[in-house]
Amino acid sequence: MKGIYIFLADGFEDVEALGTNDVLRRAGLMTTLVGIGEEPFAQTSHRALVGVEANLPFMEIDHEGTTEKDVLIFPGGMPGSKSLAACKPLVELMQEHYDAGGTVAAICAAPGLVLSQLNGIAGAEVTCFDGFEPYLEKAGAHFSPKSAICSGRIITGRSAGWALEFGLKIVEKVRPEKVDEVRHALYLKTE
């Protein structure tokens, strides 16, 4: 699977999806917003409608040639994170993508609800929104209350307030030479 895909279900957190998308595009990366519903849009947690690529044929995606620069991204928000986690074809796609050498990224509630289902998360250092860390710890991951963490091919972010840092962690993985340029353009301080 080639590319960067941000998966959206109704109730996704606006900033976590669209802020991350903005950071990645500022780095010159092509992204695709993918809805898991039947409609060509998804409703944000604040009731705005966002146009998406609907009906991605999850089971027909070819993983040949997938590298760590190919990323599946799962934003938080409720009930969006729950819907992503409950979508069995999407969870299977995530596992196949990771097994093929791809990177997975999730922020806020999504690390706990979605990434905790990943066979391979044991031993990873991760972060998430408060209250979702038990899911990750039960799966064998190690929680740390940092803003964003890259642990191998697993990237996690803490919350909407850290969406830009989360996006920069993904840029650092995929196109590291652009991190400082994007950080400067956004006037973000270095941690």
Side-chain angles (χ1 to χ4, degrees):
M1 173 179 218
K2 294 292 188 184
I4 300 173
Y5 298 86
I6 302 174
F7 291 92
L8 306 177
D10 283 341
F12 72 89
E13 172 55 51
D14 307 44
V15 172
E16 293 166 2
L18 303 178
T20 299
N21 185 59
D22 179 72
V23 169
L24 298 175
R25 290 190 176 182
R26 285 173 186 261
L29 298 168
M30 295 302 299
T31 59
T32 303
L33 301 176
V34 181
I36 66 167
E38 295 179 10
E39 300 296 328
F41 58 83
Q43 189 172 43
T44 73
S45 60
H46 302 288
R47 305 201 192 294
L49 294 179
V50 174
V52 298
E53 295 292 328
N55 297 320
L56 181 72
F58 297 115
M59 304 316 286
E60 296 177 17
I61 292 177
D62 181 10
H63 297 284
E64 187 174 338
T66 296
T67 72
E68 66 182 16
K69 295 184 184 291
D70 299 306
V71 188
L72 302 185
I73 302 170
F74 308 97
M78 289 297 180
S81 291
K82 286 182 181 179
S83 296
L84 294 175
C87 182
K88 295 304 176 196
L90 182 59
V91 172
E92 290 171 10
L93 173 70
M94 172 181 68
Q95 188 66 57
E96 291 168 4
H97 174 78
Y98 187 77
D99 290 346
T103 297
V104 294
I107 185 170
C108 197
L113 297 177
V114 180
L115 292 190
S116 65
Q117 299 182 63
L118 181 69
N119 182 14
I121 199 161
E125 181 185 6
V126 296
T127 193
C128 65
F129 194 81
D130 289 354
F132 291 94
E133 65 273 14
Y135 296 98
L136 293 160
E137 291 168 341
K138 184 177 179 183
H142 304 289
F143 174 77
S144 178
K146 296 178 181 174
S147 59
I149 299 171
C150 181
S151 184
R153 291 182 290 115
I154 298 171
I155 301 170
T156 52
R158 190 131 168 90
S159 67
W162 295 106
L164 301 182
E165 288 295 337
F166 172 68
L168 285 168
K169 282 289 182 196
I170 298 168
V171 172
E172 188 176 303
K173 183 73 162 177
V174 178
R175 201 164 181 203
E177 71 278 8
K178 288 290 199 175
V179 172
D180 290 339
E181 177 185 323
V182 174
R183 182 177 291 282
H184 177 73
L186 294 169
Y187 280 89
L188 291 176
K189 294 181 182 178
T190 303
E191 286 187 314

